[in-house]
Amino acid sequence: MLTGKKILLGLTGGIAAYKGAEICRLLVRGEALVKVVMTKNACAFITPLTMQTLSGSRVYTETFSPENYQIDHVSLARWAQALVVAPATANIIGKMAHGIADDLLTTLFLARGRMPVLLAPAMNSEMFRDKIFQDNLTALKKRGIYTADPGSGQLACGSSGEGRMAEPREVLDALAGLLQERQDFTGLKVLVTAGPTREPLDPVRYFSNRSSGKMGFALARAARDRGARVHLIAGPTSLTVPDGIQYQEVMTAAQMYEAVLGEAPEMHVVIKAAAVADYRPLEQAGDKIKKDSASLTVTLAKNPDILKTLGERKGPGQILVGFAAETRDLLENAAHKLARKNLDVIAANDVSRPDIGFEGDQNALTLLFAGGGREDIPPGSKDQVAHRLLDAVLRIKNRP
Ligand code: PMT
């Protein structure tokens, strides 16, 4: 599973460093390409020479190396497909959780971009149970960092309990799992909508909203990567159109209505992440409106509700996913939309929070399912959130 995969293996200072060496050996035996980064404390437990011999490659220990003109923390982060830190001490987890970058490993962690990171914590059980440590670990998990959770057993300090690093095989299984290219949407046609709509007032002005399209584009990419045939219908955005999908740009809610209802009958899954304007100016001026009067009254007309119409025309077996962007009474409003629009699931999105929702790269959702049931998708990148939403769609699809 790991053949040809480019893996960065980080070692920190703990007795379980010997398991890090075993992980390196197994990775190389599985024909992964491995580069090792060691903290100063890791070098107290195991030598860089050992890791160099096992990995067959230079070992990185310093942030700045005079013989190398490349900036290692950036070039390593760009090179790798995943970073595994095994063992991961309480210290490194604390630093990662708080964005401290004071050595090569913590610096390249900050430069990781979209690279998945897997931590294998290892420490004494008192340290493992400590509230500060647990808060740090939870903060990282909320940011989408994966963990190979430690087990219970004999510890180096002589006691027995939680905190014993996961076995090398377990770490490799977790790594293979997160790198696996899932093809679980193969054979499915998925329609995604994204972005805002623009409702013209005159030739140069329009009503719109803050949607960047990022959430919908992330859903389209995730469905494509999992094997779906994806049709993306988006309002105006400044995003790069993903490869390998059918893309259609629209401007107004009326155009989105036509485009979506034209495609929907063919689709197994429809996901409406677009922020469609509920109203449009009743009349559109042919020329730019002049500022002759002290005030201007604009009459708005209601736009068609695309999602509601989809719910009324839902085909057999078709799965309809709506979003509910709310600034108050999130779950009550979302539950109401779920029922009123005949959806299978609605993604309640708290857009009053500055850290998630519109425009940014992060989101968090609460899914409410038709017939009851709820799932919280914790804060993470829009890509991660998209995959979690697709997992839920697939569970509905595969229901007996
Ligand atoms: O684009 P980003 O910057 O990444 O931000 C993401 C997001 C916040 C826009 C997205 O996560 C989100 O919440 N999208 C739904 C926004 C919205 O319009 O919510 P709503 O509660 O007003 O609408 C409910 C549902 O009905 C939505 O699925 C919407 O697409 C749909 N709708 C609404 C009005 C309308 N006339 N037709 C519709 O189909």
Side-chain angles (χ1 to χ4, degrees):
M1 296 278 266
L2 293 165
T3 306
K5 297 277 192 263
K6 296 173 183 168
I7 309 296
L8 270 178
L9 175 61
L11 267 70
T12 64
I15 187 63
Y18 75 92
K19 288 190 180 173
E22 176 64 0
I23 289 171
C24 183
R25 198 181 66 79
L26 292 173
L27 282 170
V28 171
R29 214 165 70 181
E31 294 179 28
L33 305 167
V34 187
K35 291 189 181 183
V36 177
V37 179
M38 297 176 71
T39 63
K40 193 159 164 274
N41 287 337
C43 300
F45 285 88
I46 196 161
T47 66
L49 185 59
T50 305
M51 296 310 296
Q52 184 177 307
T53 311
L54 289 173
S55 67
S57 171
R58 172 191 161 199
V59 170
Y60 298 80
T61 54
E62 303 293 334
T63 313
F64 308 105
S65 49
E67 74 275 11
N68 189 357
Y69 65 89
Q70 282 194 321
I71 305 169
D72 284 335
H73 64 273
V74 176
S75 58
L76 286 171
R78 282 191 188 143
W79 172 83
Q81 287 167 277
L83 167 65
V84 187
V85 183
T89 58
N91 183 49
I92 196 94
I93 286 169
K95 288 201 278 190
M96 285 173 167
H98 293 277
I100 296 169
D102 63 353
D103 63 8
L104 181 57
L105 188 53
T106 45
T107 312
L108 81 81
F109 172 77
L110 276 191
R112 71 192 178 284
R114 289 170 188 272
M115 174 172 61
V117 177
L118 174 68
L119 304 177
M123 65 205 67
N124 154 278
S125 10
E126 294 299 333
M127 291 169 76
F128 183 73
R129 281 198 296 267
D130 183 83
K131 179 86 171 63
I132 300 172
F133 169 74
Q134 284 296 331
D135 284 351
N136 287 338
L137 194 60
T138 304
L140 287 173
K141 285 185 181 181
K142 280 189 178 166
R143 289 187 185 277
I145 304 302
Y146 298 87
T147 56
D149 291 327
S152 286
Q154 193 67 35
L155 299 167
C157 56
S159 61
S160 181
E162 266 179 308
R164 186 183 159 86
M165 187 182 131
E167 293 307 318
R169 288 267 173 212
E170 294 169 339
V171 176
L172 288 197
D173 284 349
L175 178 62
L178 71 93
L179 283 173
Q180 197 180 354
E181 282 144 20
R182 288 180 284 177
Q183 291 296 300
D184 46 7
F185 270 72
T186 303
L188 295 181
K189 291 187 216 158
V190 177
L191 173 63
V192 180
T193 69
T197 63
R198 282 183 188 168
E199 311 299 328
L201 176 64
D202 71 13
V204 297
R205 302 183 180 96
Y206 54 82
F207 287 87
S208 190
N209 59 63
R210 287 172 45 211
S211 172
S212 63
K214 287 180 184 175
M215 188 67 242
F217 275 55
L219 281 159
R221 281 193 304 269
R224 173 205 63 189
D225 291 347
R226 291 167 73 158
R229 273 175 57 195
V230 180
H231 193 113
L232 174 61
I233 297 175
T237 76
S238 56
L239 303 176
T240 308
V241 177
D243 294 332
I245 61 162
Q246 244 184 302
Y247 178 75
Q248 200 174 346
E249 186 170 320
V250 294
M251 182 77 79
T252 62
Q255 288 170 4
M256 188 173 277
Y257 180 91
E258 291 301 323
V260 168
L261 287 162
E263 296 297 330
E266 299 292 307
M267 297 290 156
H268 299 104
V269 179
V270 181
I271 307 178
K272 285 229 64 242
V276 185
D278 290 322
Y279 293 91
R280 66 182 184 281
L282 183 61
E283 282 168 12
Q284 188 186 335
D287 289 307
K288 185 180 168 200
I289 297 171
K290 294 289 174 199
K291 53 175 187 297
D292 298 333
S293 50
S295 66
L296 175 70
T297 302
V298 178
T299 305
L300 298 176
K302 202 162 189 178
N303 274 329
D305 191 322
I306 307 167
L307 191 55
K308 187 160 179 293
T309 314
L310 288 172
E312 287 157 4
R313 301 183 189 176
K314 189 157 69 171
Q318 189 178 59
I319 293 179
L320 202 48
V321 183
F323 273 70
E326 307 291 344
T327 53
R328 53 184 281 214
D329 303 328
L330 177 69
L331 297 185
E332 291 83 341
N333 285 329
H336 182 64
K337 285 176 185 171
L338 174 73
R340 197 168 58 84
K341 301 193 185 195
N342 189 25
L343 309 178
D344 296 279
V345 53
I346 192 149
N349 205 165
D350 184 350
V351 290
S352 68
R353 285 174 53 175
D355 56 330
I356 59 167
F358 285 115
E359 293 170 311
D361 293 323
Q362 303 267 312
N363 210 358
L365 301 171
T366 297
L367 304 185
L368 301 181
F369 298 92
R374 157 187 175 160
E375 179 183 336
D376 290 312
I377 302 181
S381 71
K382 285 184 173 170
D383 288 320
Q384 288 167 338
V385 169
H387 276 288
R388 287 285 301 266
L389 178 52
L390 293 184
D391 292 343
V393 167
L394 216 57
R395 280 202 306 278
I396 300 172
K397 187 89 196 141
N398 294 335
R399 234 183 246 157

